[in-house]
Amino acid sequence: MKVLELRIPSFPKSPCRCRPVLKSRMDLDVVNMFVIAGGTLAIPILAFVASFLLWPSALIKIYYWYWRRTLGMQVHYVYHEDYQFCYSFRGRPGHKPSILMLHGFSAHKDMWLSVVKFLPKNLHLVCVDMPGHEGTTRSSLDDLSIDGQVKRIHQFVECLKLNKKPFHLIGTSMGGHVAGVYAAYYPSDVCSLCLVCPAGLQYSTDNQFVQRLKELQNSATMEKIPLIPSTPEEMSEMLQLCSYVRFKVPQQILQGLVDVRIPHNNFYRKLFLEIVSEKSRYSLHQNMDKIKVPTQIIWGKQDQVLDVSGADMLAKSIANCQVELLENCGHSVVMERPRKTAKLIVDFLAAVHSTGNTKKLD
């Protein structure tokens, strides 16, 4: 029997085109995916860049808002009659003293955030906007003298019942001036005091900054006060005056800092003329011998605004006083050396308020 062999005809082999087509489509999908993803990411990036270039002042406000949230600082308001105080706080009153922090001239409560970052979270912290600043009421009838500000801060303390137990008071520059006078006027409110390069002292010789101010006063050109910039260039000069560390600040940020301040410059000018007037200029000097609580003085050795010799003046007048001088640091101690400042504050509080401690500070 003959077996038939079935032969399948063979065709010339040609390369299969299915896989390359499929691969090409997959490559195209991947490219599209990256384009879409890139476009999605580009929108917020472009928005950020546009905001940075066009609205730097808005970004600065967002920055502080984000930083407060990150550090757990909450913003609240409290009222004395029709006067509003704005403040931020973290923690609750406990067995350790609460800490009230007073900022300097033309600043606001958020200037303390760089120090708050390094303070223990079990401390009760309160940072208030000084009279007329940021969220606290600004009134043409308000007394902006140092005595007037001290009274306002006492109203704030009473509203919060912060003096239910004596608290630790910290102030820098103008805030240090107010804090020192507050401790002299209301000794039962305060258990300890920290003055960071405070204003309000009378020096035997004027430094270059004070000489310049007196020249401006004599020439009746107080429109150009170095601490009240109205252009990015003036802002840069002010930062150099206040800081030993030379920060390289982008032009857009300088513009943003100026934009935030310009609407308030008339108020800052009025306030400045008030605190350098005869009534207020040397209030701390006139009251420093009335300060009876343990006191810490922190000062930058390279301060060009308020001479570091003020630390020695205070130490000679306040019985229980400890002085800390910081190398390579200017007037903006809180901004330049926040970690060191926080450590000094914590160590001081531990030394003063440790159980059974009755020793005088060195």
Side-chain angles (χ1 to χ4, degrees):
M1 181 182 290
K2 205 171 189 181
V3 179
L4 292 175
E5 187 177 355
L6 182 62
R7 293 179 180 275
I8 299 172
S10 61
F11 297 93
K13 288 186 179 179
S14 63
C16 177
R17 298 187 182 277
C18 297
R19 287 183 181 172
V21 169
L22 183 60
K23 188 173 185 299
S24 297
R25 285 177 180 167
M26 287 177 66
D27 289 345
L28 188 60
D29 289 342
V30 171
V31 170
N32 286 338
M33 182 180 71
F34 278 108
V35 168
I36 293 167
T40 305
L41 288 171
I43 291 170
I45 291 170
L46 288 172
F48 177 83
V49 172
S51 299
F52 180 71
L53 296 174
L54 301 175
W55 306 290
S57 58
L59 274 183
I60 290 169
K61 291 179 181 177
I62 292 169
Y63 167 75
Y64 281 124
W65 171 83
Y66 176 77
W67 204 3
R68 281 197 304 269
R69 283 183 62 87
T70 302
L71 295 175
M73 297 291 286
Q74 300 179 54
V75 175
H76 278 201
Y77 298 87
V78 71
Y79 295 85
H80 174 79
E81 297 175 353
D82 60 347
Y83 193 90
Q84 173 182 281
F85 291 98
C86 178
Y87 68 100
S88 60
F89 74 96
R90 186 175 75 186
R92 300 287 176 192
H95 67 281
K96 294 182 179 180
S98 296
I99 299 177
L100 175 59
M101 310 173 92
L102 308 182
H103 65 74
F105 171 76
S106 77
H108 47 76
K109 61 188 174 299
D110 293 331
M111 72 159 285
W112 290 107
L113 292 176
S114 56
V115 173
V116 168
K117 177 182 177 181
F118 299 106
L119 290 174
K121 291 188 177 179
N122 63 346
L123 292 175
H124 178 222
L125 308 176
V126 179
C127 306
V128 63
D129 284 325
M130 297 292 282
H133 291 74
E134 197 77 7
T136 291
T137 294
R138 179 178 301 172
S139 168
S140 58
L141 302 176
D142 218 5
D143 179 4
L144 297 174
S145 68
I146 294 301
D147 274 14
Q149 293 190 61
V150 168
K151 287 171 187 172
R152 281 295 187 199
I153 295 302
H154 187 247
Q155 289 169 0
F156 171 72
V157 167
E158 292 274 311
C159 287
L160 281 192
K161 295 184 171 55
L162 200 60
N163 54 354
K164 195 172 182 181
K165 190 170 87 171
F167 57 88
H168 181 62
L169 182 58
I170 304 176
T172 183
S173 197
M174 180 192 78
H177 194 168
V178 173
V181 176
Y182 188 104
Y185 286 5
Y186 302 102
S188 62
D189 282 9
V190 181
C191 61
S192 50
L193 178 68
C194 175
L195 304 178
V196 184
C197 50
L201 297 174
Q202 187 170 8
Y203 296 87
S204 55
T205 56
D206 296 331
N207 64 8
Q208 286 185 349
F209 173 70
V210 175
Q211 288 174 11
R212 184 179 171 191
L213 283 180
K214 286 184 176 179
E215 287 170 7
L216 289 172
Q217 281 179 309
N218 293 335
S219 61
T221 54
M222 285 302 280
E223 290 295 308
K224 289 289 183 183
I225 300 169
L227 296 178
I228 308 177
S230 55
T231 67
E233 292 72 28
E234 290 174 1
M235 174 59 71
S236 180
E237 288 173 11
M238 188 191 80
L239 292 176
Q240 288 181 31
L241 172 69
C242 294
S243 304
Y244 174 78
V245 177
R246 291 293 176 257
F247 298 106
K248 191 170 178 62
V249 184
Q251 183 73 10
Q252 288 83 2
I253 295 296
L254 289 171
Q255 185 63 60
L257 292 170
V258 169
D259 290 346
V260 168
R261 294 172 65 98
I262 280 178
H264 311 289
N265 275 358
N266 286 337
F267 165 75
Y268 294 152
R269 193 169 289 108
K270 179 183 176 183
L271 171 62
F272 186 83
L273 293 174
E274 184 62 56
I275 62 178
V276 299
S277 69
E278 256 184 66
K279 179 182 177 182
S280 291
R281 180 175 289 183
Y282 304 126
S283 289
L284 177 57
H285 199 102
Q286 293 157 2
N287 290 282
M288 59 186 175
D289 59 336
K290 299 173 189 169
I291 298 172
K292 304 303 180 186
V293 295
T295 301
Q296 178 182 46
I297 311 296
I298 303 176
W299 217 303
K301 280 191 175 182
Q302 285 72 34
D303 193 332
Q304 299 177 80
V305 178
L306 299 168
D307 196 83
V308 66
S309 60
D312 189 49
M313 255 188 270
L314 289 165
K316 287 176 179 175
S317 295
I318 301 172
N320 203 358
C321 189
Q322 176 179 297
V323 174
E324 303 286 352
L325 303 182
L326 304 186
E327 291 282 359
N328 302 324
C329 184
H331 185 65
S332 300
V333 173
V334 172
M335 303 301 293
E336 293 182 76
R337 304 291 291 279
R339 186 192 294 269
K340 180 67 175 178
T341 302
K343 184 179 186 307
L344 289 173
I345 291 168
V346 170
D347 290 349
F348 177 75
L349 286 172
V352 170
H353 300 292
S354 59
T355 307
N357 180 27
T358 57
K359 289 197 297 185
K360 185 175 178 179
L361 294 169
D362 295 328

